[in-house]
Amino acid sequence: MNLNLPNALTVLRIALIPIIVLLFTSGDDSSRFLAFILFLIASITDYLDGLLARYMKQQTNFGEFLDPIADKLLVIITLILLISENQDIFFLIPTLVIITREFLVIAIRQRLAEVGDNKKLSVLLVSKIKTTLQLVSLLFLLYKFPILGYNVYWFGTMLLQISALLTLISFFYYVKNSWNVIIK
């Protein structure tokens, strides 16, 4: 394992997840705010690790493997935490769409590896936008306190719905581009 700065940021993102869980589940507002801050830091590392890897020419197989896992863990675990306080259908459906898509994309990648297809599922612009919207929506949902009288929790739920739509679009693209290989 090559633990350069970009990979260290990815590992940090994973290490922050249990702390976010502990803070979120403590139940008090100050811990909730700290969970929000750590999620913000984790989200920033998601942007920085790829940027630094390209800029510093430190892209590694380990980083390419671990980065999407770190992203999925951060998003899925945070969604599961938020389900504990929000069983509204407008929150649950996007959550189920996002989590299901993540597992299905993992399955597609596994199938491509099984059949020995070296086709790489390239990251789409819509996927980058989807991830950004997911992270921003989760930030609002974690923060949950009104800003200038605006209900940021409601805004986070709306962004989550938009990101779920983009999640479906990106999933259909991945299926379309790998269908002939995965049905072998």
Side-chain angles (χ1 to χ4, degrees):
M1 172 178 81
N2 184 3
L3 196 59
N4 56 32
L5 179 59
N7 290 345
L9 289 172
T10 302
V11 170
L12 172 64
R13 184 161 65 256
I14 293 171
L16 289 175
I17 295 170
I19 301 168
I20 292 168
V21 171
L22 286 172
L23 290 168
F24 182 90
T25 57
S26 76
D28 66 85
D29 287 348
S30 60
S31 294
R32 177 72 173 247
F33 182 73
L34 287 174
F36 159 78
I37 294 296
L38 291 180
F39 188 90
L40 177 62
I41 291 168
S43 298
I44 291 169
T45 68
D46 180 34
Y47 172 75
L48 284 179
D49 62 4
L51 180 73
L52 289 173
R54 287 184 297 277
Y55 178 76
M56 300 168 72
K57 297 184 181 3
Q58 293 184 347
Q59 293 168 294
T60 64
N61 289 335
F62 177 72
E64 286 182 23
F65 164 76
L66 195 60
D67 181 64
I69 292 172
D71 297 346
K72 288 170 184 13
L73 285 172
L74 182 64
V75 168
I76 290 171
I77 290 171
T78 303
L79 285 168
I80 290 169
L81 287 173
L82 289 164
I83 285 174
S84 70
E85 67 182 19
N86 190 347
Q87 288 90 38
D88 184 84
I89 195 75
F90 295 109
F91 179 81
L92 287 175
I93 289 177
T95 297
L96 293 173
V97 166
I98 291 166
I99 293 173
T100 301
R101 181 261 188 202
E102 298 303 347
F103 281 102
L104 291 173
V105 168
I106 290 169
I108 289 171
R109 288 191 168 125
Q110 176 63 32
R111 180 65 180 145
L112 292 174
E114 284 174 3
V115 297
D117 191 285
N118 291 334
K119 177 190 280 190
K120 211 173 180 184
L121 291 179
S122 59
V123 179
L124 308 167
L125 177 60
V126 70
S127 294
K128 289 181 182 275
I129 295 169
K130 167 212 53 112
T131 300
T132 301
L133 280 179
Q134 283 177 358
L135 295 175
V136 170
S137 71
L138 292 174
L139 278 166
F140 282 122
L141 291 165
L142 281 171
Y143 185 74
K144 92 171 183 177
F145 308 107
I147 298 176
L148 301 173
Y150 291 100
N151 183 343
V152 297
Y153 201 89
W154 176 85
F155 187 65
T157 302
M158 295 302 110
L159 286 177
L160 189 67
Q161 292 175 26
I162 295 167
S163 71
L165 179 62
L166 295 176
T167 297
L168 285 173
I169 292 168
S170 69
F171 174 70
F172 288 127
Y173 172 83
Y174 287 135
V175 169
K176 177 181 170 272
N177 282 352
S178 59
W179 184 252
N180 290 333
V181 176
I182 61 177
I183 61 169
K184 283 184 184 176

